[in-house]
Amino acid sequence: MNKVIHVDPENPSAEVVNLAATMLRDGGIIVFPTETVYGIGASATSCIGSQEIIDIKMRPKNKPLPWLVDGEGALDTYGVDVPEYAHRLARAFWPGPITIVVKAADVVAKEFRDDRGTVALRSPDHRLVQELIRSNGAAVVTTSANTSGKPPASSFEELEDRIVAAADVVLDGGETPHRMASTVVDCTGPEPVVTRVGPVPEEEIRAVAAGQDN
């Protein structure tokens, strides 16, 4: 049965975090707030979670799910041939609303890679999500909690009923701070390419990547 739980995103109770993390470890699907928009996620260790998310969201199957990770070290854990400028971006903007796309390491299963063999990683600036990642003991695969093609939800009230009904646990954390999806930066080439505009401006990304941050 679906369970909606109210949570203080800045001071989540250990009970709520443990409940949600247990659901993740058991292969369940959760909906939760981040600092950008609400996400629908599963543990990266789940063999069926990612496919369930794709089915619920009605997302194209050739569009892999991003991973929420705990910090900069994840770039070298889940990525390979990661350029130094990607590390500069992570040090400057993580935790925060920027998704970094890198070439995927062998530990990333094929179903999590796109046609080019890449994986999208983000370390969220959100205490609840960081605690979920730590308690889960692994990255959380996620995407915005909305039907593909519809606007993402930036508050619990904006979540579609069908998305709420499909999840095993839903965490109601009110309104998200940024109210927009993260900036996505492709870091597989000699310089960064912004593929989705978000809270972090492209000029800041280019300056940091070039080593011009102070």
Side-chain angles (χ1 to χ4, degrees), residues 32 36-37 39-44 50 53-54 57 59-60 63-69 78 94 98-102 108 111-114 118-124 133 139-145 181-184 196:
F32 54 95
T36 55
V37 295
I40 182 170
S43 176
S50 62
I53 292 171
I54 288 171
K57 186 179 173 72
R59 181 182 174 97
K63 191 176 180 182
L65 301 172
W67 291 28
L68 297 181
V69 297
Y78 303 119
W94 279 4
I98 177 174
T99 297
I100 298 176
V101 178
V102 296
V108 179
E111 58 263 31
F112 292 121
R113 309 181 194 184
D114 70 1
T118 69
V119 62
L121 306 173
R122 186 169 87 82
S123 179
I133 293 168
V140 176
V141 294
T142 189
T143 181
S144 56
S182 65
T183 302
V184 177
R196 183 174 73 193

Side-chain angles (χ1 to χ4, degrees), residues 35-36 89-90 92-100 122-123 125 178 180-185 194-209:
E35 83 275 34
T36 55
L89 291 174
F93 299 117
W94 279 4
I98 177 174
T99 297
I100 298 176
R122 186 169 87 82
S123 179
D125 185 16
H178 288 294
M180 65 187 306
S182 65
T183 302
V184 177
V185 187
V194 174
T195 59
R196 183 174 73 193
V197 176
V200 181
E202 182 171 357
E203 56 268 25
E204 288 186 26
I205 289 168
R206 292 195 174 279
V208 169

Side-chain angles (χ1 to χ4, degrees), residues 35-205:
E35 83 275 34
T36 55
V37 295
Y38 271 72
I40 182 170
S43 176
T45 60
S46 172
C47 59
I48 61 171
S50 62
Q51 186 56 55
E52 286 189 41
I53 292 171
I54 288 171
D55 291 343
I56 292 168
K57 186 179 173 72
M58 302 179 185
R59 181 182 174 97
K61 297 186 186 301
N62 62 348
K63 191 176 180 182
L65 301 172
W67 291 28
L68 297 181
V69 297
D70 57 0
E72 181 193 355
L75 288 176
D76 291 323
T77 300
Y78 303 119
V80 67
D81 298 329
V82 178
E84 178 54 32
Y85 74 78
H87 282 280
R88 286 198 290 270
L89 291 174
R91 287 193 293 270
F93 299 117
W94 279 4
I98 177 174
T99 297
I100 298 176
V101 178
V102 296
K103 296 177 182 176
D106 290 341
V107 296
V108 179
K110 289 184 178 179
E111 58 263 31
F112 292 121
R113 309 181 194 184
D114 70 1
D115 295 339
R116 301 180 301 143
T118 69
V119 62
L121 306 173
R122 186 169 87 82
S123 179
D125 185 16
H126 198 277
R127 182 175 174 184
L128 169 63
V129 185
Q130 286 288 351
E131 292 194 11
L132 282 175
I133 293 168
R134 284 193 290 270
S135 295
N136 180 49
V140 176
V141 294
T142 189
T143 181
S144 56
N146 56 282
T147 302
S148 187
K150 291 191 175 183
S154 57
S155 68
F156 174 78
E157 287 74 22
E158 293 176 1
L159 288 169
E160 299 165 61
D161 290 342
R162 58 172 297 275
I163 298 291
V164 172
D168 296 299
V169 169
V170 178
L171 302 180
D172 174 6
E175 189 174 291
T176 65
H178 288 294
R179 296 184 59 83
M180 65 187 306
S182 65
T183 302
V184 177
V185 187
D186 188 321
C187 294
T188 60
E191 61 182 32
V193 177
V194 174
T195 59
R196 183 174 73 193
V197 176
V200 181
E202 182 171 357
E203 56 268 25
E204 288 186 26
I205 289 168

Side-chain angles (χ1 to χ4, degrees), residues 4-41:
V4 176
I5 304 171
H6 294 277
V7 59
D8 179 353
E10 296 181 358
N11 188 29
S13 70
E15 181 182 8
V16 169
V17 171
N18 289 336
L19 175 70
T22 299
M23 184 60 68
L24 288 171
R25 292 193 299 271
D26 290 346
I29 303 297
I30 69 171
V31 169
F32 54 95
T34 74
E35 83 275 34
T36 55
V37 295
Y38 271 72
I40 182 170

